[in-house]
Amino acid sequence: MNELAASYEVTSRSGSSFRYSFFFLPKEKRDAITAVYAFCRVVDDVVDEEGPADEKSRRLQHWRCEIGRCYEGKNPGEPIAKALLPAIERFSLPRRHFEAIVDGCQMDLEKSRYENFEELERYCYHVAGAVGLLCIEIFGYESSLVRDYAVALGTALQLTNILRDVGSDYQRGRIYLPRDEMKKYGVTEEKIAGGKPEGDLLKFLEFQRDRAKGYYERAQKLLPPEERSRLAAAEIMGAAYAALLTEIERAGFDVFSKRVSVPKLRQILIALRAFWRTKFS
């Protein structure tokens, strides 16, 4: 399996709705975004797999070194890193964004609770905003506002992920919800462990939903109309995750007993509608 095929395999295996947005890109951009996504996926998997934290840190450092080799004229050893080389060269992808993503994964090994939203927002920047900043370099843009759009949209996507995964993250020993807000709403870790979205816990989850919606709205306000066509793939990603937020609402915020998702056929229809809207409206 060559380097690019390995990236496509990782992307396909992930089952992420992001992959539907890739279909509408020209091949060169599709290959580049697939390589970037595969990198993000494998470094994130380092954190979630079983094993001691020091071994995970060592593996993240290995990926940091692989990125360094891509920029220092050295040959990386990992197929996923090798697949990044043409994307980095063709689209001038900044090294700092890749390193920020690895930093975010390292944060997962060092921090399992967040005192306030300022701390959580910083985490969202590393694991999602930096990804968005890489993506827009591939998609192409002219207005500097697009960089702010990418960070806002990335934060919206990550907050949606956090809301969907409250139950499963707790099982892994992590809570990506601000402690000061939990206290304000009377939500304890025991209530999260109980997994019953009612009363104070339901109101708290609705508040987190509203914040995520606010970031989707912020992203839309930041995106200049003349940039929408170039950023159709990003808009498809946003539409897919906004639909996931709607599914969470429809499930009564039960993010504990099962993993909420958008049916595959609906994901495809959402992608088609978003593409049509950005290209022809």
Side-chain angles (χ1 to χ4, degrees):
M1 182 182 294
N2 63 34
E3 294 85 359
L4 192 54
S7 294
Y8 273 94
E9 172 64 21
V10 168
T11 302
S12 176
R13 193 168 60 243
S14 74
S16 171
S17 58
F18 281 170
R19 67 191 188 280
Y20 296 117
S21 68
F22 302 169
F23 294 159
F24 300 95
L25 293 168
K27 186 178 187 307
E28 188 175 41
K29 291 186 177 185
R30 185 168 65 249
D31 290 346
I33 201 70
T34 298
V36 168
Y37 180 83
F39 167 79
C40 295
R41 184 75 268 158
V42 296
V43 295
D44 185 65
D45 286 346
V46 168
V47 176
D48 289 336
E49 291 171 358
E50 295 295 327
D54 57 350
E55 172 59 19
K56 294 179 181 181
S57 290
R58 187 196 66 75
R59 291 172 61 192
L60 288 178
Q61 180 59 29
H62 167 70
W63 280 105
R64 194 187 301 276
C65 291
E66 287 288 274
I67 290 298
R69 292 187 182 98
C70 290
Y71 286 88
E72 294 163 6
K74 301 174 183 177
N75 188 32
E78 298 284 351
I80 299 298
K82 290 179 180 179
L84 286 173
L85 286 170
I88 289 170
E89 181 178 354
R90 171 66 181 83
F91 298 102
S92 301
L93 303 181
R95 177 176 178 171
R96 67 182 182 278
H97 298 328
F98 286 108
E99 292 179 337
I101 294 166
V102 179
D103 289 342
C105 293
Q106 184 65 40
M107 289 172 68
D108 272 326
L109 300 181
E110 300 170 354
K111 195 175 186 67
S112 61
R113 301 293 187 275
Y114 291 82
E115 294 302 322
N116 49 53
F117 183 67
E118 183 180 1
E119 287 187 3
L120 183 62
E121 189 177 36
R122 189 178 310 119
Y123 169 76
C124 290
Y125 170 80
H126 282 285
V127 298
V131 180
L133 290 170
L134 286 172
C135 290
I136 61 171
E137 296 300 328
I138 296 170
F139 300 152
Y141 64 97
E142 292 183 2
S143 172
S144 61
L145 286 173
V146 172
R147 291 192 287 272
D148 295 328
Y149 159 83
V151 173
L153 182 59
T155 302
L157 303 185
Q158 188 61 30
L159 291 175
T160 303
N161 273 337
I162 287 170
L163 186 55
R164 178 195 62 195
D165 296 338
V166 169
S168 58
D169 283 335
Y170 181 79
Q171 295 302 317
R172 294 189 181 101
R174 304 178 199 152
I175 298 179
Y176 296 98
L177 301 167
R179 274 179 163 170
D180 60 349
E181 294 173 3
M182 289 174 61
K183 183 177 181 180
K184 177 182 176 181
Y185 278 84
V187 172
T188 62
E189 293 196 13
E190 288 73 21
K191 286 185 179 180
I192 293 175
K196 295 181 179 180
E198 56 189 25
D200 293 337
L201 178 57
L202 177 58
K203 292 178 182 177
F204 177 63
L205 295 176
E206 289 173 337
F207 175 74
Q208 303 305 318
R209 180 268 324 269
D210 291 343
R211 171 180 282 145
K213 282 188 173 180
Y215 273 92
Y216 285 111
E217 292 167 2
R218 181 185 303 183
Q220 287 303 303
K221 289 177 182 177
L222 285 166
L223 182 59
E226 64 273 15
E227 298 280 10
R228 289 188 181 277
S229 180
R230 293 188 187 94
L231 296 165
E235 287 291 273
I236 291 170
M237 293 177 189
Y241 268 66
L244 175 58
L245 201 58
T246 299
E247 288 296 322
I248 292 170
E249 294 177 278
R250 288 176 176 170
F253 292 86
D254 182 8
V255 290
F256 304 95
S257 65
K258 62 180 180 180
R259 182 181 175 88
V260 179
S261 63
V262 179
K264 186 174 292 187
L265 178 58
R266 188 169 169 231
Q267 289 182 29
I268 294 170
L269 293 174
I270 288 167
L272 289 170
R273 282 198 297 266
F275 177 76
W276 183 267
R277 186 172 60 251
T278 57
K279 288 294 186 178
F280 302 108
S281 63

